[in-house]
Amino acid sequence: MTEQQLLECITLNPKVMVGKPVIKGTRLTVAYVLNLLAHGETAAEILEEYQGLAPEDIQACLLFATKSLANTTFVPLLEPT
């Protein structure tokens, strides 16, 4: 799947989940999937729990997050000691 095809798996609609990015055809937000991954769930476990998902959907969430953060500048909140 191309990068563009992956990004097309993610939709934004103000009528679905208050406009948060979701996996097309679901009410699963990108943030929810990323949070599952961040807390140790594997892609296989997520796919088993949400059987309508494909591996590409999880890959699309990661790509969407990467693209969303690409032009973000991070500023440290505290000086290193």
Side-chain angles (χ1 to χ4, degrees):
M1 238 183 184
T2 68
E3 195 171 272
Q4 184 60 37
Q5 289 171 316
L6 284 171
L7 291 174
E8 289 171 2
C9 294
I10 306 299
T11 63
L12 296 123
N13 180 337
K15 295 180 181 180
V16 178
M17 300 302 289
V18 195
K20 293 180 181 181
V22 298
I23 298 170
K24 187 182 279 186
T26 75
R27 297 180 76 75
L28 291 174
T29 65
V30 170
Y32 180 73
V33 173
L34 295 176
N35 188 50
L36 290 174
L37 293 168
H39 284 90
E41 292 285 322
T42 66
E45 290 169 332
I46 295 169
L47 293 171
E48 186 176 323
E49 180 70 24
Y50 301 98
Q51 295 184 0
L53 294 185
E56 293 81 12
D57 294 323
I58 295 173
Q59 188 179 357
C61 289
L62 294 168
L63 180 60
F64 183 88
T66 300
K67 293 290 188 182
S68 296
L69 293 171
N71 295 317
T72 302
T73 302
F74 292 94
V75 179
L77 298 176
L78 300 174
E79 292 287 325
T81 57

Coordinates of all heavy atoms in Angstrom, one line a residue:
M1 N 0.8 -1.2 0.0 CA 0.0 0.0 0.0 C 0.9 1.2 0.0 O 1.9 1.3 0.7 CB -0.8 0.0 1.3 CG -2.3 0.0 1.0 SD -3.3 0.1 2.6 CE -4.8 0.0 1.8
T2 N 0.5 2.2 -0.8 CA 1.3 3.4 -0.8 C 0.9 4.3 0.4 O -0.1 4.1 1.1 CB 0.9 4.3 -2.1 OG1 -0.4 4.8 -2.0 CG2 1.1 3.4 -3.4
E3 N 1.8 5.3 0.6 CA 1.6 6.2 1.7 C 0.2 6.9 1.6 O -0.5 7.0 2.6 CB 2.7 7.3 1.7 CG 2.8 8.1 3.0 CD 4.1 8.9 3.0 OE1 5.1 8.4 3.5 OE2 4.0 10.1 2.6
Q4 N -0.1 7.3 0.4 CA -1.4 8.0 0.2 C -2.6 7.1 0.4 O -3.6 7.5 1.1 CB -1.5 8.5 -1.3 CG -2.8 9.3 -1.6 CD -2.9 10.5 -0.7 OE1 -2.0 11.2 -0.3 NE2 -4.2 10.8 -0.3
Q5 N -2.5 5.8 0.0 CA -3.5 4.8 0.3 C -3.7 4.6 1.8 O -4.8 4.5 2.3 CB -3.2 3.5 -0.4 CG -3.4 3.6 -1.9 CD -2.9 2.3 -2.6 OE1 -1.8 1.8 -2.3 NE2 -3.7 1.8 -3.6
L6 N -2.6 4.6 2.5 CA -2.7 4.4 3.9 C -3.4 5.6 4.6 O -4.3 5.4 5.4 CB -1.3 4.2 4.6 CG -0.6 2.9 4.4 CD1 0.8 2.9 4.8 CD2 -1.4 1.8 5.1
L7 N -3.0 6.8 4.2 CA -3.6 8.0 4.8 C -5.1 8.1 4.4 O -5.9 8.6 5.2 CB -2.9 9.2 4.3 CG -1.5 9.4 4.8 CD1 -0.8 10.6 4.2 CD2 -1.5 9.5 6.4
E8 N -5.5 7.5 3.3 CA -7.0 7.5 3.0 C -7.8 6.5 3.9 O -9.0 6.6 3.9 CB -7.1 7.1 1.5 CG -6.7 8.2 0.6 CD -6.7 7.8 -0.9 OE1 -7.0 6.6 -1.2 OE2 -6.3 8.6 -1.7
C9 N -7.1 5.7 4.7 CA -7.7 4.9 5.7 C -8.2 5.7 6.9 O -9.0 5.2 7.7 CB -6.8 3.8 6.2 SG -6.3 2.5 4.9
I10 N -7.7 6.9 7.0 CA -8.1 7.8 8.2 C -9.0 8.9 7.7 O -8.7 9.5 6.6 CB -6.8 8.4 8.8 CG1 -5.7 7.3 9.2 CG2 -7.1 9.3 10.0 CD1 -6.2 6.3 10.2
T11 N -10.1 9.1 8.4 CA -11.0 10.1 8.0 C -11.3 11.1 9.1 O -11.1 10.7 10.3 CB -12.4 9.5 7.5 OG1 -13.0 8.8 8.6 CG2 -12.2 8.6 6.4
L12 N -11.7 12.3 8.8 CA -12.1 13.3 9.7 C -13.5 13.7 9.4 O -13.7 14.2 8.2 CB -11.1 14.5 9.7 CG -9.7 14.1 10.1 CD1 -8.8 14.5 9.1 CD2 -9.4 14.8 11.4
N13 N -14.4 13.6 10.3 CA -15.8 14.0 10.0 C -16.4 14.6 11.3 O -16.4 13.9 12.3 CB -16.6 12.8 9.6 CG -18.1 13.1 9.3 OD1 -18.6 14.1 9.7 ND2 -18.7 12.3 8.5
P14 N -16.8 15.9 11.3 CA -17.3 16.5 12.5 C -18.5 15.7 13.1 O -18.7 15.8 14.3 CB -17.7 17.9 12.1 CG -17.5 18.0 10.6 CD -16.9 16.7 10.1
K15 N -19.2 14.9 12.4 CA -20.3 14.1 12.9 C -19.9 12.8 13.5 O -20.7 12.0 14.0 CB -21.3 13.9 11.8 CG -21.9 15.2 11.3 CD -22.9 14.9 10.2 CE -23.5 16.2 9.7 NZ -24.5 16.0 8.6
V16 N -18.6 12.4 13.4 CA -18.1 11.1 13.9 C -17.0 11.4 14.9 O -16.0 12.0 14.6 CB -17.6 10.2 12.8 CG1 -17.0 8.9 13.3 CG2 -18.6 9.9 11.7
M17 N -17.3 11.0 16.1 CA -16.3 11.2 17.2 C -15.8 12.6 17.4 O -14.6 12.9 17.5 CB -15.1 10.2 17.1 CG -15.5 8.7 17.1 SD -16.4 8.2 18.5 CE -15.1 8.2 19.7
V18 N -16.7 13.5 17.2 CA -16.5 15.0 17.3 C -15.3 15.5 16.4 O -14.6 16.4 16.8 CB -16.2 15.3 18.8 CG1 -16.2 16.8 19.1 CG2 -17.1 14.6 19.8
G19 N -15.2 14.8 15.3 CA -14.2 15.3 14.3 C -12.8 14.8 14.5 O -11.9 15.2 13.7
K20 N -12.6 13.9 15.5 CA -11.3 13.3 15.7 C -11.0 12.4 14.5 O -11.9 11.8 13.9 CB -11.2 12.6 17.0 CG -11.4 13.4 18.2 CD -11.3 12.6 19.5 CE -11.4 13.5 20.7 NZ -11.3 12.8 21.9
P21 N -9.7 12.3 14.2 CA -9.3 11.3 13.1 C -9.7 9.9 13.5 O -9.3 9.5 14.6 CB -7.8 11.5 12.9 CG -7.4 12.4 14.0 CD -8.5 13.0 14.7
V22 N -10.4 9.2 12.7 CA -10.8 7.8 12.9 C -10.4 6.9 11.8 O -10.2 7.4 10.6 CB -12.3 7.7 13.2 CG1 -12.7 8.4 14.4 CG2 -13.1 8.0 12.0
I23 N -10.3 5.6 12.0 CA -10.1 4.6 11.0 C -11.4 4.5 10.2 O -12.5 4.4 10.8 CB -9.7 3.3 11.6 CG1 -8.4 3.4 12.3 CG2 -9.7 2.2 10.4 CD1 -8.1 2.1 13.1
K24 N -11.3 4.7 8.9 CA -12.5 4.7 8.0 C -13.4 3.5 8.3 O -13.0 2.4 8.4 CB -12.1 4.7 6.5 CG -13.2 4.9 5.6 CD -12.7 4.9 4.1 CE -12.1 6.2 3.8 NZ -11.7 6.3 2.3
G25 N -14.7 3.8 8.4 CA -15.7 2.8 8.6 C -15.8 2.3 10.0 O -16.6 1.4 10.3
T26 N -15.1 3.0 11.0 CA -15.2 2.6 12.4 C -15.4 3.9 13.2 O -15.4 5.0 12.7 CB -13.9 2.0 12.9 OG1 -12.9 2.9 13.0 CG2 -13.4 0.9 11.9
R27 N -15.5 3.7 14.5 CA -15.5 4.8 15.4 C -14.2 4.7 16.3 O -14.2 5.3 17.4 CB -16.7 4.8 16.3 CG -18.0 5.0 15.5 CD -19.3 4.9 16.2 NE -19.5 6.2 17.0 CZ -20.0 7.3 16.5 NH1 -20.1 7.4 15.2 NH2 -20.2 8.3 17.2
L28 N -13.2 4.0 15.8 CA -11.9 3.9 16.5 C -11.0 5.1 16.1 O -10.7 5.2 15.0 CB -11.2 2.6 16.2 CG -11.9 1.3 16.7 CD1 -11.2 0.1 16.2 CD2 -11.9 1.3 18.2
T29 N -10.7 5.9 17.1 CA -9.8 7.0 16.8 C -8.4 6.6 16.7 O -7.9 5.6 17.3 CB -9.9 8.1 17.9 OG1 -9.4 7.6 19.1 CG2 -11.4 8.6 18.1
V30 N -7.7 7.4 15.9 CA -6.2 7.2 15.8 C -5.6 7.3 17.2 O -4.7 6.4 17.6 CB -5.6 8.3 14.9 CG1 -4.1 8.2 14.9 CG2 -6.1 8.1 13.5
A31 N -6.0 8.2 18.0 CA -5.4 8.4 19.4 C -5.7 7.1 20.2 O -4.8 6.7 21.0 CB -6.0 9.6 20.0
Y32 N -6.8 6.5 20.1 CA -7.2 5.3 20.8 C -6.2 4.2 20.4 O -5.7 3.5 21.3 CB -8.6 4.9 20.6 CG -9.0 3.7 21.4 CD1 -9.2 3.7 22.8 CD2 -9.2 2.5 20.7 CE1 -9.5 2.6 23.5 CE2 -9.6 1.3 21.4 CZ -9.7 1.4 22.8 OH -10.1 0.3 23.5
V33 N -6.1 4.0 19.2 CA -5.2 2.9 18.7 C -3.7 3.1 19.1 O -3.1 2.2 19.6 CB -5.3 2.7 17.1 CG1 -4.2 1.7 16.6 CG2 -6.7 2.3 16.7
L34 N -3.3 4.4 19.0 CA -1.9 4.7 19.4 C -1.7 4.5 20.9 O -0.7 4.0 21.4 CB -1.6 6.2 19.1 CG -1.5 6.4 17.6 CD1 -1.2 7.9 17.3 CD2 -0.4 5.6 16.9
N35 N -2.8 4.8 21.7 CA -2.7 4.6 23.1 C -2.6 3.1 23.5 O -1.9 2.8 24.4 CB -4.0 5.3 23.8 CG -3.9 5.3 25.3 OD1 -2.9 5.7 25.9 ND2 -4.9 4.8 26.0
L36 N -3.4 2.3 22.8 CA -3.3 0.9 23.0 C -1.8 0.4 22.7 O -1.3 -0.4 23.5 CB -4.2 0.1 22.1 CG -5.7 0.2 22.4 CD1 -6.5 -0.4 21.3 CD2 -6.1 -0.3 23.7
L37 N -1.3 0.8 21.6 CA 0.1 0.5 21.3 C 1.1 1.0 22.4 O 2.0 0.2 22.8 CB 0.5 1.0 19.9 CG -0.2 0.4 18.7 CD1 0.0 1.1 17.5 CD2 0.2 -1.1 18.6
A38 N 0.9 2.2 22.8 CA 1.8 2.8 23.8 C 1.7 2.1 25.1 O 2.7 2.1 25.9 CB 1.4 4.3 24.0
H39 N 0.6 1.4 25.4 CA 0.5 0.7 26.7 C 0.7 -0.8 26.5 O 0.4 -1.6 27.4 CB -0.9 1.0 27.3 CG -1.0 2.3 27.9 ND1 -1.4 3.5 27.2 CD2 -0.7 2.8 29.1 CE1 -1.3 4.5 28.0 NE2 -0.9 4.1 29.1
G40 N 1.4 -1.2 25.5 CA 1.9 -2.5 25.3 C 1.1 -3.5 24.5 O 1.5 -4.6 24.4
E41 N -0.1 -3.1 24.0 CA -0.9 -4.0 23.2 C -0.1 -4.2 21.9 O 0.5 -3.2 21.4 CB -2.2 -3.4 22.8 CG -3.2 -3.3 24.0 CD -3.8 -4.6 24.4 OE1 -4.1 -5.4 23.5 OE2 -3.9 -4.8 25.6
T42 N -0.1 -5.3 21.4 CA 0.5 -5.6 20.1 C -0.5 -5.4 19.0 O -1.7 -5.4 19.2 CB 1.1 -7.0 20.0 OG1 -0.1 -7.9 20.0 CG2 2.0 -7.4 21.1
A43 N 0.0 -5.2 17.8 CA -0.9 -5.1 16.6 C -1.8 -6.3 16.5 O -3.0 -6.2 16.2 CB -0.1 -4.8 15.3
A44 N -1.2 -7.5 16.7 CA -2.0 -8.7 16.7 C -3.1 -8.7 17.7 O -4.2 -9.2 17.4 CB -1.1 -9.9 16.9
E45 N -2.8 -8.3 18.9 CA -3.9 -8.2 19.9 C -5.0 -7.3 19.5 O -6.2 -7.5 19.7 CB -3.3 -7.8 21.3 CG -2.4 -8.9 21.8 CD -1.6 -8.5 23.0 OE1 -1.2 -7.3 23.1 OE2 -1.3 -9.3 23.9
I46 N -4.6 -6.1 19.0 CA -5.6 -5.1 18.5 C -6.5 -5.7 17.4 O -7.7 -5.6 17.4 CB -5.0 -3.8 18.1 CG1 -4.3 -3.2 19.3 CG2 -6.0 -2.9 17.5 CD1 -3.3 -2.0 19.0
L47 N -5.8 -6.4 16.5 CA -6.6 -7.0 15.3 C -7.5 -8.1 15.8 O -8.6 -8.3 15.3 CB -5.6 -7.5 14.3 CG -4.8 -6.4 13.6 CD1 -3.7 -7.1 12.7 CD2 -5.7 -5.5 12.7
E48 N -7.1 -8.8 16.8 CA -7.9 -9.9 17.4 C -9.2 -9.3 18.1 O -10.3 -9.8 18.0 CB -7.1 -10.7 18.3 CG -7.9 -11.9 18.8 CD -7.0 -12.8 19.7 OE1 -5.8 -13.0 19.4 OE2 -7.5 -13.4 20.7
E49 N -8.9 -8.2 18.8 CA -10.0 -7.6 19.6 C -11.0 -6.9 18.6 O -12.2 -6.9 18.9 CB -9.5 -6.6 20.6 CG -10.5 -5.8 21.4 CD -11.2 -6.7 22.4 OE1 -10.6 -7.8 22.8 OE2 -12.3 -6.4 22.8
Y50 N -10.5 -6.2 17.6 CA -11.3 -5.5 16.6 C -11.2 -6.1 15.3 O -10.4 -5.7 14.4 CB -10.9 -4.0 16.6 CG -11.0 -3.3 17.9 CD1 -9.9 -3.2 18.8 CD2 -12.2 -2.9 18.4 CE1 -10.0 -2.6 20.0 CE2 -12.3 -2.3 19.6 CZ -11.2 -2.1 20.4 OH -11.3 -1.5 21.7
Q51 N -12.0 -7.2 15.1 CA -11.8 -8.1 13.9 C -12.1 -7.4 12.6 O -11.7 -7.9 11.6 CB -12.6 -9.3 14.1 CG -12.1 -10.1 15.3 CD -12.8 -11.4 15.5 OE1 -13.7 -11.8 14.8 NE2 -12.3 -12.2 16.5
G52 N -12.7 -6.2 12.6 CA -13.0 -5.6 11.3 C -11.8 -4.8 10.8 O -11.7 -4.3 9.7
L53 N -10.7 -4.7 11.7 CA -9.5 -4.0 11.3 C -8.6 -4.8 10.5 O -8.5 -6.0 10.6 CB -8.8 -3.5 12.5 CG -9.4 -2.4 13.4 CD1 -8.5 -2.0 14.5 CD2 -9.9 -1.2 12.6
A54 N -7.8 -4.1 9.7 CA -6.7 -4.8 8.9 C -5.4 -4.3 9.4 O -5.3 -3.2 10.0 CB -6.8 -4.5 7.4
P55 N -4.3 -5.0 9.2 CA -3.0 -4.5 9.7 C -2.7 -3.1 9.1 O -2.0 -2.3 9.7 CB -2.0 -5.6 9.1 CG -2.8 -6.8 9.0 CD -4.2 -6.4 8.7
E56 N -3.1 -2.9 7.9 CA -2.9 -1.6 7.3 C -3.6 -0.4 8.0 O -3.1 0.7 8.0 CB -3.4 -1.5 5.8 CG -2.7 -2.5 4.9 CD -3.1 -3.9 5.0 OE1 -4.1 -4.2 5.6 OE2 -2.4 -4.8 4.4
D57 N -4.6 -0.7 8.7 CA -5.3 0.3 9.5 C -4.4 0.8 10.7 O -4.3 2.0 11.0 CB -6.6 -0.2 10.1 CG -7.7 -0.5 9.0 OD1 -7.7 0.3 8.0 OD2 -8.4 -1.4 9.2
I58 N -3.7 -0.1 11.3 CA -2.8 0.2 12.4 C -1.6 1.0 11.8 O -1.2 2.0 12.3 CB -2.4 -1.0 13.2 CG1 -3.6 -1.6 13.9 CG2 -1.3 -0.7 14.2 CD1 -3.4 -2.9 14.5
Q59 N -1.1 0.5 10.7 CA 0.0 1.2 10.0 C -0.4 2.6 9.6 O 0.3 3.6 9.8 CB 0.4 0.4 8.8 CG 1.6 0.9 8.1 CD 2.0 0.0 6.9 OE1 1.3 -1.0 6.6 NE2 3.0 0.4 6.2
A60 N -1.7 2.8 9.2 CA -2.2 4.1 8.8 C -2.2 5.0 10.0 O -1.9 6.2 9.9 CB -3.6 4.0 8.2
C61 N -2.6 4.5 11.2 CA -2.6 5.3 12.4 C -1.2 5.8 12.7 O -1.0 7.0 13.1 CB -3.1 4.5 13.6 SG -4.9 4.2 13.5
L62 N -0.2 5.0 12.6 CA 1.2 5.4 12.9 C 1.6 6.4 11.9 O 2.3 7.4 12.2 CB 2.1 4.1 12.8 CG 1.9 3.1 14.0 CD1 2.6 1.8 13.7 CD2 2.3 3.7 15.3
L63 N 1.3 6.2 10.6 CA 1.7 7.2 9.6 C 1.0 8.5 9.8 O 1.6 9.6 9.6 CB 1.4 6.6 8.2 CG 1.7 7.5 7.0 CD1 3.3 7.8 7.0 CD2 1.3 6.9 5.7
F64 N -0.3 8.5 10.1 CA -1.0 9.7 10.3 C -0.4 10.5 11.5 O -0.2 11.7 11.4 CB -2.5 9.4 10.7 CG -3.3 10.6 10.8 CD1 -3.9 11.2 9.8 CD2 -3.5 11.2 12.1 CE1 -4.7 12.4 9.9 CE2 -4.2 12.3 12.3 CZ -4.8 12.9 11.2
A65 N 0.0 9.8 12.6 CA 0.6 10.5 13.7 C 2.0 11.1 13.3 O 2.3 12.2 13.7 CB 0.8 9.5 14.8
T66 N 2.7 10.3 12.5 CA 4.0 10.8 12.1 C 3.9 12.1 11.2 O 4.6 13.0 11.4 CB 4.7 9.7 11.2 OG1 4.9 8.6 12.0 CG2 6.1 10.2 10.7
K67 N 2.9 12.0 10.3 CA 2.7 13.2 9.4 C 2.2 14.4 10.2 O 2.6 15.5 10.0 CB 1.7 12.9 8.3 CG 2.2 11.8 7.3 CD 3.3 12.4 6.4 CE 3.6 11.5 5.3 NZ 4.7 12.1 4.5
S68 N 1.4 14.1 11.2 CA 0.8 15.2 12.0 C 1.9 15.9 12.9 O 1.8 17.1 13.1 CB -0.3 14.6 13.0 OG -1.3 14.1 12.3
L69 N 2.9 15.2 13.3 CA 4.0 15.7 14.1 C 5.2 16.2 13.3 O 6.1 16.8 13.8 CB 4.5 14.7 15.1 CG 3.5 14.3 16.1 CD1 4.0 13.1 16.9 CD2 3.1 15.4 17.1
A70 N 5.1 16.0 12.0 CA 6.3 16.4 11.1 C 6.8 17.8 11.3 O 8.0 18.1 11.3 CB 6.0 16.0 9.7
N71 N 5.9 18.7 11.4 CA 6.2 20.2 11.4 C 6.1 20.8 12.8 O 5.9 22.0 12.9 CB 5.4 20.9 10.4 CG 5.8 20.5 9.0 OD1 6.9 20.3 8.6 ND2 4.7 20.3 8.1
T72 N 6.1 19.9 13.8 CA 5.9 20.4 15.2 C 7.3 20.7 15.8 O 8.2 19.9 15.7 CB 5.2 19.3 16.0 OG1 3.9 19.1 15.4 CG2 4.9 19.8 17.4
T73 N 7.4 21.8 16.5 CA 8.6 22.1 17.2 C 8.3 21.9 18.7 O 7.3 22.3 19.2 CB 8.9 23.6 17.0 OG1 9.1 23.8 15.6 CG2 10.2 24.0 17.7
F74 N 9.2 21.1 19.3 CA 9.1 20.8 20.7 C 10.1 21.7 21.5 O 11.2 21.9 21.1 CB 9.4 19.4 21.0 CG 8.4 18.4 20.4 CD1 8.5 17.9 19.1 CD2 7.2 18.2 21.1 CE1 7.6 17.1 18.6 CE2 6.2 17.4 20.5 CZ 6.4 16.8 19.3
V75 N 9.5 22.3 22.5 CA 10.3 23.2 23.4 C 10.4 22.5 24.8 O 9.3 22.2 25.3 CB 9.7 24.6 23.5 CG1 10.5 25.5 24.4 CG2 9.6 25.2 22.1
P76 N 11.6 22.3 25.4 CA 11.6 21.7 26.7 C 10.9 22.6 27.7 O 11.0 23.9 27.6 CB 13.1 21.6 27.0 CG 13.8 22.4 26.0 CD 12.9 22.7 24.8
L77 N 10.2 22.0 28.6 CA 9.5 22.8 29.6 C 10.4 23.2 30.8 O 10.2 24.2 31.4 CB 8.3 22.0 30.2 CG 7.2 21.6 29.2 CD1 6.2 20.7 29.8 CD2 6.6 22.9 28.6
L78 N 11.4 22.4 31.0 CA 12.3 22.7 32.1 C 13.8 22.6 31.6 O 14.1 21.9 30.7 CB 12.2 21.7 33.2 CG 10.8 21.6 33.9 CD1 10.8 20.4 34.9 CD2 10.5 22.9 34.7
E79 N 14.6 23.4 32.2 CA 16.0 23.4 31.8 C 16.6 22.1 32.4 O 16.3 21.7 33.5 CB 16.8 24.6 32.5 CG 16.4 25.9 31.9 CD 17.0 26.1 30.5 OE1 18.1 25.6 30.2 OE2 16.3 26.7 29.7
P80 N 17.5 21.4 31.6 CA 18.1 20.2 32.2 C 19.0 20.6 33.3 O 19.6 21.6 33.3 CB 18.9 19.7 31.0 CG 18.6 20.5 29.8 CD 17.8 21.7 30.3
T81 N 19.1 19.7 34.3 CA 19.9 20.0 35.5 C 21.2 19.2 35.5 O 21.3 18.3 34.8 CB 19.2 19.7 36.8 OG1 18.7 18.3 36.8 CG2 18.0 20.6 37.0

